[in-house]
Amino acid sequence: MREITAAVLERAAAARPYSTSRPISVCQLELESPGPGEVLVKIEAASVCHSDLSTVDGSRIRPLPMVIGHEVAGRVLELGDGIDDLRVEDRVVITFMPRCGSCSACSGTGQEPCAAGKGANGRGELMGGGTRLRRAGEPVMHHLGVSGFATHAVVDRSCLVPVPSDVPADVAAVIGCAVLTGGGAILNVARLVPGMRVAVVGVGGVGLAAIITALSQPGIEVAAIDADRGKHEVALRAGANVAVTPSEAIKTGLKGDVVIEAVGTVRGFETAVASTAAGGVTVAVGLPEPSQAAQISPFSLVADGRSIVGSYLGSSVPARDIPIFVEMWREGRLNVEALITSRIALSAINEAMDDLADGKALRQVIMF
Ligand SMILES: [Zn+2]
Ligand SMILES: [Zn+2]
C-alpha cells in the first residue's frame, strides 16, 4: 500500500466554469501494490485529452469517483509477479487498451480492442478485476485502466509500451493517445502517396497530430479546416499549407483526397465528407455523442466513388506504432512538441478542463 496524490472526478456534468464548480478534487489516496501481471508506475507526465473532458462533462458516463487521465508516461517502479520483459526504471508509455492476450481480438492484428479489456475499462476496473485505489477505505475507480492524473498508477502489463529514456516524458505521453489517434489515421488508414492532398477538420491535439504526420510524408499538401481562426495560426506554424474555416472550405471548393475528421461532432463529420474529393476517403477519428446521426448523401458516395471509414485510436497497435512515432520524432520528422501548449501542475486540473472545453489549448501536460 502506498499513499499517492491523485485527481479524483467526484461528479459528472458539473456547471461551468469548472474552476468554480471544481468537480475534480486533488487528494490523497491509497494505492495497492501491483498484483500478478501488474506494474507500479511513477508518473512523470500526463496530458489532458478530450476523452477526459467527456468524462467530466458527462457526455461519457463512467462510474465515479474515478481517478481520470489516460495519456501518460512514467517510469517503472515495481513489477508484479510474472513480468520478465520490463525492468525497474524503464520509461514507459501507458496506453488505454488492456489485453487478455488470448482472445480472438488479441491473437489477431492487434487493432481490435480486447473485449475483456474493454469490459474492465467500462467498469472502471483493472484487467485483474476490481480497483487498486481507495480513499478512507472506499473504492475509487480507474479511468480506462490508466488513472494517470496521479503521482503513481498500478496498471496491467499489457498497457505498457517501453520507450528509450532520452524521449522526454511529455513527448512520450502525447504520443500515447493524440499522436496514435491522429498520426495513426494517416499512417495506418490513409495510404498516402506523393501528390495527394490531405485536409484535417478540427485543429485540436488529434487534428494537429494528423497534420504533422501527413507533413512527415513526402509530397503531401495539407489543409487545416477549423471554425476558430486562432487555430489557423497553430496549423500554419506547424507547417500546414493552408488554413480555412468550414464555410471558406465550401466556398472555395477546397477538397482533400484524404480528409481526417478530428472534431468529434456531427457538424465536423458532415464538413469532412463534403470536403472529400471524388475518389477520396473520409477518415472519422473523432467520437461524437453516441446517439447523434449525420446527414450524408449516399448518391454522392457512389457517383464520386468516395468512401468513409472509421478509425479507433488511429487503427493503431500501440506496441508496434509507438516505437515508429518515437523514431520519427527522434529523426526530427515529427514535431510532437507543436501539440504541447502548456505544462501545468496537477492542482490546475479544473482550470485545464475549462481551457480545453473553450478550445484555448491543444495538449496541456501535467508534469510531476
Ligand atoms: Zn485521449
Ligand atoms: Zn483479449
Side-chain angles (χ1 to χ4, degrees), residues 270-295:
E270 289 171 347
T271 299
V273 173
S275 307
T276 304
V281 57
T282 314
V283 185
V285 300
L287 282 168
E289 203 269 305
S291 65
Q292 294 188 341
Q295 272 224 318

Side-chain angles (χ1 to χ4, degrees), residues 11-332:
R11 58 191 193 284
R16 293 283 316 278
Y18 301 129
S19 60
T20 305
S21 60
R22 306 198 84 74
I24 308 165
S25 53
V26 175
C27 54
Q28 303 299 114
L29 303 182
E30 300 97 52
L31 178 65
E32 282 176 23
S33 299
E38 295 174 351
V39 179
L40 171 67
V41 179
K42 185 179 191 308
I43 308 297
E44 297 177 297
S47 52
V48 182
C49 167
H50 263 278
S51 305
D52 300 306
L53 180 60
S54 54
T55 305
V56 174
D57 70 19
S59 48
R60 273 308 176 94
I61 306 295
R62 307 247 179 226
L64 302 179
M66 170 179 274
V67 175
I68 54 176
H70 64 279
E71 199 171 297
V72 183
R75 282 191 191 271
V76 172
L77 205 57
E78 192 183 326
L79 297 166
D81 286 343
I83 299 173
D84 51 14
D85 57 351
L86 282 177
R87 281 185 315 207
V88 170
E89 278 299 303
D90 278 353
R91 179 162 281 158
V92 286
V93 173
I94 312 181
T95 68
F96 52 88
M97 291 217 322
R99 294 200 164 277
C100 73
S102 55
C103 70
S104 63
C106 288
S107 48
T109 61
Q111 281 181 10
E112 298 299 312
C114 166
K118 225 172 147 181
N121 282 0
R123 293 189 302 276
E125 298 179 351
L126 294 192
M127 279 290 282
T131 165
R132 309 290 173 270
L133 296 159
R134 295 274 181 288
R135 180 168 53 186
E138 294 297 314
V140 175
M141 312 315 289
H142 296 265
H143 187 212
L144 300 173
V146 182
S147 288
F149 294 166
T151 53
H152 301 77
V154 165
V155 300
D156 194 81
R157 163 66 186 95
S158 61
C159 296
L160 296 179
V161 179
V163 296
S165 281
D166 66 328
V167 182
D170 50 3
V171 168
V174 169
I175 287 177
C177 174
V179 173
L180 277 186
T181 304
I186 294 291
L187 294 189
N188 296 323
V189 186
R191 310 255 171 260
L192 297 180
V193 295
M196 271 189 172
R197 301 160 297 169
V198 172
V200 176
V201 182
V203 185
V206 168
L208 195 64
I211 289 172
I212 61 171
T213 307
L215 289 167
S216 75
Q217 306 297 302
I220 301 297
E221 292 254 311
V222 178
I225 303 175
D226 199 301
D228 176 359
R229 288 189 188 277
K231 296 288 178 66
H232 295 182
E233 185 61 33
V234 173
L236 294 170
R237 221 180 307 129
N241 302 90
V242 57
V244 296
T245 64
S247 53
E248 287 167 347
I250 288 164
K251 222 179 290 164
T252 58
L254 184 144
K255 302 275 182 198
D257 302 300
V258 170
V259 182
I260 308 290
E261 196 299 300
V263 186
T265 63
V266 166
R267 204 130 177 233
F269 179 76
E270 289 171 347
T271 299
V273 173
S275 307
T276 304
V281 57
T282 314
V283 185
V285 300
L287 282 168
E289 203 269 305
S291 65
Q292 294 188 341
Q295 272 224 318
I296 52 167
S297 150
F299 173 85
S300 78
L301 289 186
V302 178
D304 294 340
R306 293 187 288 139
S307 54
I308 301 172
V309 296
S311 172
Y312 182 70
L313 190 59
S315 308
S316 294
V317 180
R320 178 196 69 194
D321 295 353
I322 287 174
I324 293 173
F325 287 114
V326 162
E327 213 36 52
M328 289 167 66
W329 172 82
R330 201 196 277 276
E331 289 167 358

